[in-house]
Amino acid sequence: MVFPIAKLASLAIKQLSKPVARYAKEGAKRSEFFKRYVCMPPAQLYHWMEVKLKMRILGLGKTKPGSVAPLNEQMATELGAEMLESIVFMVGVLTLYAEYWRQSRNTQIKEDSQNERLKELEEKLLDLQVVTEKQDMQIRHLSRLLAGFGPTHQVTQDSNQTVRQPGK
């Protein structure tokens, strides 16, 4: 049950992040500040790191800081907007995961509380069973004692002692 919901939520977040990327691209076209300071720097950094990593993997040695050609303005803006979309998507997924974790933690706490309460009730029930058995034994003992005071025994009211009548 959780997996389909998570998959559906992930898809919803991805769909919601696309308008953010579109807005970022439009914002970069309209605002020079947004383009220069929000979209382009992360895109250029990503491009530089990607080229540097590929060069190392291919065994072409270390790259010098100025040896990687920067992306042109349009490509950097588009890449930056796509990176912004990915960031929005990751924030949405992390938010979804945090909410799922919080709900599962609350459910676990509630279950633990219920289990503890059930355990306490079971202990009280056992205590009551022991008391009931003890009282039942006392009642049986008293019943046997009273059965011994049949017609052959008589209790005098003055001394509260049992006196056995002769011949009976």
Side-chain angles (χ1 to χ4, degrees):
M1 179 71 178
V2 174
F3 180 71
I5 292 173
K7 191 173 182 182
L8 182 64
S10 172
L11 185 62
I13 292 170
K14 187 180 276 189
Q15 290 298 321
L16 292 174
S17 66
K18 287 185 182 190
V20 171
R22 207 170 341 148
Y23 178 76
K25 286 179 185 176
E26 291 171 9
K29 288 177 187 174
R30 284 182 276 140
S31 168
E32 193 65 28
F33 175 82
F34 188 75
K35 181 183 349 182
R36 292 244 181 254
Y37 297 107
V38 176
C39 288
M40 287 181 62
Q44 293 292 0
L45 177 67
Y46 174 78
H47 172 69
W48 179 79
M49 290 174 63
E50 180 185 28
V51 170
K52 186 176 174 181
L53 181 66
K54 285 181 181 178
M55 295 292 271
R56 282 192 180 173
I57 290 173
L58 294 174
L60 298 175
K62 294 183 177 182
T63 58
K64 295 177 185 172
S67 65
V68 176
L71 291 172
N72 65 30
E73 194 172 293
Q74 181 184 2
M75 288 181 69
T77 304
E78 287 182 23
L79 181 59
E82 288 174 13
M83 288 175 66
L84 187 61
E85 175 187 6
S86 298
I87 290 170
V88 168
F89 176 71
M90 284 190 287
V91 167
V93 168
L94 288 175
T95 303
L96 182 68
Y97 177 74
E99 181 62 24
Y100 171 76
W101 180 78
R102 188 185 70 80
Q103 287 291 334
S104 65
R105 188 188 70 204
N106 288 345
T107 302
Q108 185 65 38
I109 289 170
K110 187 176 179 181
E111 285 178 10
D112 290 346
S113 174
Q114 288 175 344
N115 288 339
E116 185 65 30
R117 178 73 176 140
L118 181 62
K119 186 177 177 182
E120 288 174 8
L121 289 173
E122 287 174 348
E123 288 175 0
K124 286 181 181 181
L125 181 62
L126 286 174
D127 290 344
L128 287 173
Q129 286 175 340
V130 169
V131 167
T132 304
E133 287 175 11
K134 190 175 180 179
Q135 288 175 345
D136 192 36
M137 286 175 38
Q138 290 173 346
I139 289 172
R140 277 188 260 136
H141 178 68
L142 290 173
S143 293
R144 276 188 252 124
L145 287 175
L146 284 175
F149 288 114
T152 58
H153 291 82
Q154 183 180 21
V155 178
T156 59
Q157 290 182 356
D158 327 348
S159 63
N160 282 338
Q161 295 179 356
T162 303
V163 178
R164 188 175 177 105
Q165 295 178 353
K168 288 192 176 178

